[in-house]
Amino acid sequence: MINRRQWLRALGLVLAASVRPRAAQGLSTSSEEPNSPSAKNAPLPLAEYEPKSMLHAQETQVERAAFPVIDVHTHISVSAKSQNGVGLASERTYLGQPDELLSVMDRKNIRAMVNLTGGYDQGLADVITNYDKAYPGRFYSFTEPCYEKFLDPNYPRIQADEIERAHRAGAKGLKILKTLGLYLRENITSGKLVKIDNPRFDPMWDACGRLNMPVAIHVSDPIAFFRPTDRFNERYEELNNHPDWSFYDHDFPSNAELLEARNRVFARHPKTQFLVLHVGNFSENLDNVSENLDRFPNMTVDIAARIGELGRQPRRSRRFFDQYQDRILFGTDATPHGDEFPQQVFNDKLYEIYFRFLETEDEYFDYAPAKVPPQGRWRIYGIGLPESILQKVYNQNAARLLQITL
Ligand SMILES: [Zn+2]
């Protein structure tokens, strides 16, 4: 028998032997052969690298969705004022006017857009007047917590009452941005981070359950955002472009801690429906998302801004859609004029990519309308869902959750 050292030495010899013939054929590195063509080329900055695929692959143009679509995750209006990641005003900034939205929607077979960031109070009332009521059946708005009142000793009651008011005004649900868990602090914009399962929010979760208003909740972020922005980070370019998206270090909790706090809320409020955005906020780990879906009957997910993740694991994703076909909703995170974030810019191309991913078995295509894949340098594969599942994902699951008819 040989010992470990002998074995390693033997392996080293094998490796050396396998390299030598390559060198002999002129396939060695440039340091060994200074006259090879590659030695003359200057290094290419990563940002300038835009390789074009030479693959001859099927390219299916899906102009319209196979069935009418409810996009449950869009941002048509946003808070007019925010500080340190916390929205602090009822007033809204409108990102897109109804006419420009409706023309894209009609071309793409989008029956309705759900504007998650509708705000609260007068800002919410204005959004509902200008969109939901002006174009019935085409726009639905969600309300958001009023964090500016967080320090009021009666906040738990005030916030629950705000939900009732929003419901009377016509809001379809409640949206929780990742503000909760990552930005909201004990003194709103300063102090320690407030945990997602802080009991001050319990009456709010209960009010949503009582009023049948689903809670669309975004918790945490892609796992790469919790790692150093270095050469090992698969989303290096994205984090380099948006350094403020990194939650590595400082006083941020880990991704696991955030998801655990979130899960405690789901367990404590079984009568409240939670639409967990971005594939349950863990699209890199569909086993984890599946476990949680099994554990929490009050949980559904959307696919917004995560077809890049789903599409790079098409076989696993297809099984996921088969298994949870009644609990997956179509969403994009579409933001009118959000050109800075190609994976969620509201336009024809964005929707065509989503339809292509869901409806075709095309291979190796871009997950966002951008020169360089914005969420990591890879491409995706379609999962070719059958019509029965497409119908559920495109509209039936959303119609049931939002209690609307098409
Ligand atoms: Zn969003």
Side-chain angles (χ1 to χ4, degrees), residues 73 75 116 175 218 278 333:
H73 190 156
H75 299 283
L116 293 180
K175 166 73 196 273
H218 177 157
H278 308 300
D333 219 352

Side-chain angles (χ1 to χ4, degrees), residues 73-75 116-117 175 177 218 277-278 302 304-305 332-335 344:
H73 190 156
T74 74
H75 299 283
L116 293 180
T117 33
K175 166 73 196 273
L177 291 164
H218 177 157
L277 305 171
H278 308 300
D302 85 355
T332 55
D333 219 352
T335 306
Q344 60 183 92

Side-chain angles (χ1 to χ4, degrees), residues 284-303:
E284 300 93 330
N285 188 344
L286 294 181
D287 290 345
N288 174 283
V289 181
S290 303
E291 266 170 43
N292 286 325
L293 282 163
D294 293 342
R295 218 175 123 198
F296 303 112
N298 55 337
M299 169 177 170
T300 47
V301 300
D302 85 355
I303 60 170

